């Protein structure tokens, strides 16, 4: 069964990011030009927090080791981000933490 967290969309305006916690899991939400991306807050390289990483467009740089990840890409490489689906309804953003067979 998927777990979810919802926040008011007004709490994540374009250009902002927000760290949320769901059942002990840390997730970062980024609003880039009105598109919201949700990723696990753990770098797949060595587990560093990605929440404070430098963001240029949709490219996020790990603050610990400098690796770059494209938030908008569907990457199947070994070192790829774990994305979570985000939906918007009635002014709320909902992130679903479902264990999917494909991580992007």
């Amino acid at each position: 069964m998927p777990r979810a967290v919802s926040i008011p969309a007004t709490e994540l305006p374009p250009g902002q990011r927000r760290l949320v916690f769901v059942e002990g899991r840390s997730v970062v939400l980024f609003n880039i030009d009105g598109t919201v991306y949700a990723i696990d807050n753990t770098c797949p390289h060595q587990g560093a927090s990605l929440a404070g990483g430098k963001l240029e467009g949709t490219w996020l740089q790990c603050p610990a080791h400098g690796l770059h990840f494209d938030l908008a890409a569907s990457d199947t490489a070994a070192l790829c981000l774990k994305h979570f689906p985000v939906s918007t309804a009635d002014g709320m953003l909902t992130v679903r933490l479902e264990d999917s067979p494909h991580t992007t």
Side-chain angles (χ1 to χ4, degrees):
M1 177 178 221
R3 298 158 293 176
V5 62
S6 295
I7 63 167
T10 56
E11 291 185 15
L12 189 67
Q16 298 295 310
R17 66 183 80 189
R18 172 125 185 220
L19 185 62
V20 296
F21 298 91
V22 183
E23 295 182 17
R25 182 176 230 163
S26 179
V27 177
V28 189
L29 289 83
F30 298 89
N31 185 334
I32 301 172
D33 297 326
T35 300
V36 178
Y37 301 93
I39 62 167
D40 191 278
N41 186 33
T42 304
C43 178
H45 175 232
Q46 289 188 342
S49 170
L50 295 170
K54 182 179 178 183
L55 190 62
E56 291 185 17
T58 60
W59 285 91
L60 176 66
Q61 182 177 6
C62 174
H65 300 99
L67 292 175
H68 288 86
F69 303 97
D70 186 355
L71 296 174
S74 294
D75 194 353
T76 58
L79 290 177
C80 58
L81 298 174
K82 171 103 175 131
H83 285 221
F84 301 105
V86 179
S87 60
T88 305
D90 299 323
M92 299 293 286
L93 295 172
T94 300
V95 180
R96 292 202 150 325
L97 281 83
E98 40 196 34
D99 295 321
S100 64
H102 182 260
T103 57
T104 60

